[in-house]
Amino acid sequence: MPETIEIQLKKGVLTLCVLALLNRRDSYAYEIASTLADAIDMGEGTIYPLMRRMQSDGQVETYLVESTAGPSRKYYRLTDAGRRALETQTAEWRAFVTAVEGVMNADAEPAPPEAAVDTTAERGAEQ
């Protein structure tokens, strides 16, 4: 069964959403996953491989925070490369949204059905 546009869009903006969340404040993976689950209905299991990839790409770095209620938590924060990626992806996202909105809100009338009729016979008659 093909993926719906909603699933494809979620996958496409997941990194941007994580970068935006971490730009606001440092966070741990479960908190990020919970926020995205509430906001865009993204599954929790999706976030952990993404966070590892973002760390190996140098967009985020980690540090441990001691917890009184259990083990230390691994927090993520943006690096300079992560902030640059956020700027780039935000600009790309806004341009994309603007382009899609332009297509969807175009004032042009659709061509009437008869415009699609083959006019070869008419042109041959004129010659």
Side-chain angles (χ1 to χ4, degrees):
M1 183 166 120
E3 291 182 322
T4 65
I5 190 170
E6 181 181 9
I7 291 170
Q8 293 173 16
L9 287 171
K10 286 177 186 179
K11 286 180 180 179
V13 299
L14 188 56
T15 302
L16 174 58
C17 289
V18 170
L19 290 168
L21 290 173
L22 290 175
N23 191 51
R24 291 184 198 131
R25 65 182 172 86
D26 297 357
S27 188
Y28 53 98
Y30 181 77
E31 183 179 45
I32 294 167
S34 296
T35 301
L36 293 175
D38 292 343
I40 60 173
D41 195 29
M42 183 56 73
E44 178 186 323
T46 310
I47 199 71
Y48 295 98
L50 174 64
M51 299 309 298
R52 282 192 296 276
R53 183 180 57 75
M54 291 174 72
Q55 186 173 5
S56 32
D57 289 349
Q59 295 175 338
V60 298
E61 59 188 12
T62 62
Y63 61 94
L64 291 177
V65 174
E66 297 295 323
S67 172
T68 58
S72 299
R73 284 194 174 137
K74 184 193 297 187
Y75 273 74
Y76 293 86
R77 71 175 149 232
L78 285 184
T79 62
D80 289 340
R83 281 185 276 286
R84 287 190 302 274
L86 175 60
E87 286 178 25
T88 300
Q89 290 185 28
T90 298
E92 290 171 357
W93 173 255
R94 290 189 173 135
F96 177 74
V97 168
T98 300
V100 171
E101 288 290 331
V103 170
M104 295 186 65
N105 297 325
D107 293 329
E109 292 286 325
E114 61 270 6
V117 173
D118 187 332
T119 58
T120 307
E122 291 175 17
R123 277 184 273 153
E126 293 173 2
Q127 292 177 354

